[in-house]
Amino acid sequence: MRIVLGVTGGIAAYKAAELARQLVRNGHEITVVMTKGAEEFIRPLTFASLTGRKVITDLFSSASPDATLSSAVEHIGVAREHDLLLVAPATADVLAKFAHGLADDFLSTLYLAFDGPVVLAPAMNDRMWSHAAVRENVAVLRGRGHALVEPGDGYLACGTVGPGRLAESEKIVAAVEDALRKRRTDLVGQTILITAGPTREPVDPVRYISNRSSGKMGYALAEAALARGARVLLVSGPVNLQPPARAEVEQVQTAAEMRDAVFAHLFEATVVIKCAAVADFRPATPSAQKIKKTSADRTLELVPVPDILAELGDGPRNFILVGFAAETENLLDYARRKLEGKNCDMIVANRVGGDGSAFESESNEVLLVLRNGETIPVDRAPKRVVADHIFDQIVKLGK
Ligand code: CTP
């Protein structure tokens, strides 16, 4: 396999040489990308000798001898040509850059252009490792599905003892092999239509009825599907999230608009996942003008909106249909009823409201309810991880 080994500027940078040697010995082709900081600790020549390949040291370097332009876009080519990105040692700085999408050198631009598996092996001072900022960045990166090889406990270069030492090379190599084994291309050729977020049903030009859905689960599904090789059509209600770059997105507001967008693209879909929290009712006669507080009429008359999932499940179909169930009680019972009532292949049941609610949360804990009566619990995990469990089942349903 072709692996990019990113080396950043920590005292453990020298250990990356042994790591490169072991990966080469396992039969991998290694392209080393060094940050400026890393060059303070170890020379590129060491890696060039160990890997037999040129070492990339700078965004605008003469890595491509023929033209400045081709070197300026080389990170895109490197991203496309490699199967896995490993960063070892990963400093607090590179974790922060990756977590927040900063791109000011070759490694950080490469990261943004890379959509394969990422393995990060951090190394830093123990106090830095336990700082809230680093903890939060690590959580973000884990949430994206990246593998983190935890630093070990021991004597640190700064003279203290604690967690922060770069993990042993064998452990990092094992994490790389594991990530390569799990590298999934099992959704290649699938077109996955995902609805996400809430809908908004207008009361008047300034007010609406909606719900607490943040869209995070639907967007995590879109990311996971893209990472596994699918084409993704994302029909999204109003949310404060940036959609994944390669998703084809249609923004909608109301349930009626969501229904139209779903049916307009249905002929392309091999899988439909109705993750959106559709408002069940809309005001019967939205006012064209703002309703004044002096208005005599204080009663809002509501009428039901179309049940998109039920319509999708009605009649023969040539796509897999997955619905969600948002419940505050009787999770399994209601989920089974929705599976039958809306004729889905699977229902993802999650608890909403109160502590541990799926709404507005970074993590989720779900129950996958299948037609054959099987129920599969998925323990609490970042939504991106839960998304992969959902696709594991969808892949099985398609077989
Ligand atoms: N759904 C839909 N259109 C609606 C309402 C719901 O497509 N008008 C879909 C949701 O996207 C979800 C599933 O139906 O996949 C279940 O949604 P949920 O809100 O849990 O249930 P409801 O069908 O609204 O039923 P209830 O309000 O009784 O829980």
Side-chain angles (χ1 to χ4, degrees):
M1 291 286 170
R2 308 180 83 178
I3 298 173
V4 175
L5 169 57
V7 183
T8 66
I11 190 81
Y14 75 95
K15 295 185 182 171
E18 171 56 20
L19 193 57
R21 204 178 58 79
Q22 287 192 24
L23 289 168
V24 169
R25 210 196 292 140
N26 279 13
H28 301 300
E29 217 171 272
I30 308 298
T31 302
V32 173
V33 175
M34 298 179 73
T35 61
K36 278 211 155 52
E39 282 187 79
E40 301 290 329
F41 292 94
I42 184 164
R43 288 179 52 78
L45 190 60
T46 310
F47 291 111
S49 318
L50 286 167
T51 62
R53 294 171 63 83
K54 106 188 152 192
V55 172
I56 299 172
T57 51
D58 195 356
L59 184 54
F60 300 107
S61 76
S62 54
S64 256
D66 41 345
T68 324
L69 179 64
S70 58
S71 70
V73 295
E74 199 192 4
H75 58 284
I76 308 291
V78 173
R80 215 177 276 141
E81 286 160 12
H82 287 77
D83 302 298
L84 181 139
L85 170 63
L86 163 66
V87 182
T91 55
D93 181 61
V94 82
L95 297 180
K97 277 186 186 166
F98 283 8
H100 298 280
L102 268 66
D104 62 355
D105 61 6
F106 196 98
L107 186 59
S108 49
T109 45
L110 167 71
Y111 170 75
L112 293 186
F114 186 71
D115 56 12
V118 176
V119 179
L120 303 165
M124 65 197 74
N125 162 271
D126 57 332
R127 296 180 69 155
M128 291 170 74
W129 176 242
S130 57
H131 193 281
V134 175
R135 306 309 322 144
E136 280 168 24
N137 290 336
V138 165
V140 166
L141 295 165
R142 277 213 174 97
R144 262 176 225 161
H146 303 339
L148 260 289
V149 191
E150 293 272 336
D153 253 358
Y155 181 77
L156 301 174
C158 43
T160 55
V161 175
R165 277 168 69 95
L166 182 68
E168 297 305 323
S169 305
E170 291 71 23
K171 218 169 146 192
I172 300 172
V173 171
V176 165
E177 298 298 350
D178 193 46
L180 283 173
R181 251 193 317 278
K182 285 197 201 134
R183 193 177 60 115
R184 295 181 244 208
T185 50
D186 51 6
L187 294 177
V188 171
Q190 304 286 336
T191 298
I192 307 205
L193 174 56
I194 299 169
T195 69
T199 62
R200 279 183 187 168
E201 310 301 330
V203 173
D204 67 19
V206 294
R207 305 180 179 98
Y208 56 79
I209 296 180
S210 191
N211 57 65
R212 291 182 183 279
S213 167
S214 63
K216 285 178 185 157
M217 192 63 236
Y219 278 52
L221 284 163
E223 269 176 30
L226 287 165
R228 293 165 80 145
R231 176 179 172 220
V232 170
L233 310 173
L234 180 61
V235 176
S236 177
V239 295
N240 287 318
L241 298 172
Q242 200 55 34
R246 286 181 300 120
E248 295 161 52
V249 188
E250 189 153 343
Q251 308 277 1
V252 297
Q253 295 278 325
T254 64
E257 287 170 16
M258 183 170 278
R259 181 194 172 281
D260 290 349
V262 166
F263 280 93
H265 292 288
L266 195 56
F267 70 98
E268 300 172 85
T270 54
V271 178
V272 179
I273 309 180
K274 285 275 333 109
C275 185
V278 185
D280 289 322
F281 300 100
R282 64 172 177 81
T285 45
S287 167
Q289 305 301 331
K290 184 184 168 200
I291 301 169
K292 303 301 286 177
K293 67 170 169 260
T294 48
S295 156
D297 192 1
R298 304 272 165 82
T299 309
L300 203 54
E301 196 195 328
L302 300 176
V303 291
V305 298
D307 190 321
I308 309 167
L309 184 61
E311 263 185 72
L312 289 167
D314 198 17
R317 59 167 182 268
N318 51 3
F319 52 85
I320 293 173
L321 183 58
V322 178
F324 269 65
E327 309 295 350
T328 53
E329 56 180 354
N330 302 338
L331 194 61
L332 180 58
D333 186 31
Y334 284 144
R336 283 214 172 106
R337 277 193 225 175
K338 279 177 192 169
L339 183 85
E340 290 301 325
K342 303 196 187 197
N343 193 26
C344 306
D345 298 297
M346 177 165 86
I347 286 281
V348 181
N350 45 196
R351 205 172 288 285
V352 294
D355 286 350
S357 171
F359 276 8
E360 297 172 313
S361 167
E362 296 300 328
S363 64
N364 203 358
E365 178 186 358
V366 302
L367 203 54
L368 307 182
V369 184
L370 301 169
R371 284 211 82 81
N372 63 5
E374 212 182 328
T375 57
I376 300 162
V378 177
D379 291 343
R380 180 160 293 280
K383 287 184 172 171
R384 176 65 178 71
V385 175
V386 173
D388 265 322
H389 285 286
I390 293 170
F391 281 117
D392 288 346
Q393 287 309 317
I394 291 176
V395 167
K396 282 188 193 157
L397 287 175
K399 281 183 180 156

